[in-house]
């Protein structure tokens, strides 16, 4: 397995919406480590801005940020339609909550959906209602529901599967929406979650969260019965936001860029819990919440180290049949158990 070169798994992601809706701003915050105040200097996207993003080992995201000016949109829906809408894995359509032409925005969305249905009927569709920070807090839930219902009515064959989120570049809602998008793109997610659950049981953790290292979006998480009692339902997107801010601070004090600066590990000890965040593979970090105590903390750090090499090979394997996947899991579990016992004895 060590010498095996896996063929890249490419996912085409369309980012579409009216010009000025905030598409490029959110893209640069998520993937280019911008902070919200810095995106004001970004200009309008001309035609299509292509980005090739290495994500989780051999998974490659081909992100197409499509300019939203009327002339470009017309080309996407006519002469360029087969080129733009073929082999799409995910469509992310951004609506500006401030738009005074929402009916026209819906018509454009409907035309995009029909083109997607024709060329990529199996794509996942996400609708982001953006700039929600401009709406008074008391009215956000009602407005989101109203707009979501209208969007769903125009979603054709995607009506039952389209997911709608309220977002803003000024809070963690952006990370929640993009975290769910990333979650939908990861192959073999159920197998990864079983592996994390096994790790959680071995180290007696309350919660284990897997982050993608460049964006610090949550890939997935597992929780124990104790962890399920955590009342902060938005903790994953809050953590993404906090860690990205931490990286910017590190970059500032070390005179490096936020995108290039990586840390290996940090831990927090309190009377109520321990927290360990450690680099797990070249593309992921793992965050573990566990009971307080020095012994518990050190054992967890040792077990993360023992799992590191195995997980690096494990989670980038292309999708396979159930039987093959089970055999691979059993082999990895056996190796991991051996390393856990060695760590405990050490």
């Amino acid at each position: 397995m060590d010498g095996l070169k896996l063929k890249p798994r490419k996912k085409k992601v369309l980012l579409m919406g009216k010009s000025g809706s905030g598409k490029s701003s959110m893209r640069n915050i998520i993937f280019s480590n911008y902070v919200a105040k810095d995106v004001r200097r970004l200009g309008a996207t001309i035609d299509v801005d292509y980005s090739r993003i290495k994500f989780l080992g051999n998974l490659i995201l081909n992100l197409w940020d499509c300019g939203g000016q009327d002339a470009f949109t017309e080309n996407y829906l006519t002469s360029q339609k087969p080129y733009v809408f073929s082999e799409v894995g995910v469509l992310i359509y951004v609506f500006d909550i401030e738009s005074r032409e929402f009916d026209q925005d819906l018509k454009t969305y409907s035309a995009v959906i029909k083109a997607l249905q024709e060329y990529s009927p199996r794509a996942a569709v996400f609708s982001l209602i953006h700039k929600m920070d401009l709406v008074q807090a008391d009215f956000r839930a009602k407005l989101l529901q109203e707009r979501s219902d209208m969007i769903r009515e125009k979603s054709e064959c995607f009506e039952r599967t389209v997911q709608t989120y309220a977002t803003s570049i000024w809070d963690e809602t952006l990370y929640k929406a993009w975290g769910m998008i990333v979650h939908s793109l990861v192959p073999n997610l159920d197998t990864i979650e079983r592996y994390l659950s096994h790790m959680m049981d071995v180290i007696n953790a309350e919660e284990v969260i897997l982050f993608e290292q460049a964006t610090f979006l949550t890939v997935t998480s597992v929780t124990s019965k104790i962890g399920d009692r955590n009342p902060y339902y938005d903790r994953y997107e809050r953590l993404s936001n906090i860690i990205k801010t931490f990286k910017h601070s590190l970059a500032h004090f070390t005179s490096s860029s936020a995108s290039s600066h990586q840390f290996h590990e940090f831990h927090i000890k309190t009377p109520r819990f321990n927290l360990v965040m450690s680099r797990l593979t070249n593309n992921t970090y793992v965050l573990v919440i566990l009971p307080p105590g020095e012994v518990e903390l050190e054992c967890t750090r040792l077990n993360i180290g023992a799992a590191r090499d195995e997980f690096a090979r494990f989670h980038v394997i292309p999708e396979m049949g159930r039987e093959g996947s089970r055999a691979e899991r059993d082999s990895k579990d056996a190796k991991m158990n051996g390393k856990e016992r060695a760590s405990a004895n050490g």
Side-chain angles (χ1 to χ4, degrees), residues 143-206:
L143 185 57
L144 174 63
Q145 187 61 54
E146 290 175 354
R147 294 294 170 91
S148 298
D149 291 343
M150 296 169 73
I151 291 167
R152 196 172 298 280
E153 288 177 4
K154 299 293 184 180
S155 296
E156 301 288 339
C157 72
F158 305 101
E159 180 179 359
R160 298 180 65 181
T161 58
V162 60
Q163 298 184 51
T164 304
Y165 296 94
T167 57
S168 167
I169 64 172
W170 299 103
D171 60 33
E172 61 273 2
T173 55
L174 188 65
Y175 293 96
K176 177 181 179 179
W178 279 88
M180 294 306 298
I181 293 166
V182 165
H183 189 84
S184 74
L185 288 168
V186 178
N188 293 329
L189 191 61
D190 58 339
T191 312
I192 294 173
E193 289 172 349
R194 279 192 286 269
Y195 197 84
L196 292 177
S197 294
H198 179 66
M199 179 189 292
M200 179 179 68
D201 292 341
V202 166
I203 61 182
N204 194 30
E206 296 177 9

Side-chain angles (χ1 to χ4, degrees), residues 14-15 24 37 63 79 90 110-111 115 125 149 203 205 215 220 231 241 258-259 272 276 312 339:
L14 292 185
L15 181 59
S24 297
K37 64 183 178 62
L63 182 61
S79 60
V90 173
S110 178
V125 178
D149 291 343
I203 61 182
T215 62
T220 191
N241 202 359
S259 59
R272 297 179 61 186
V276 179
K339 291 191 175 182

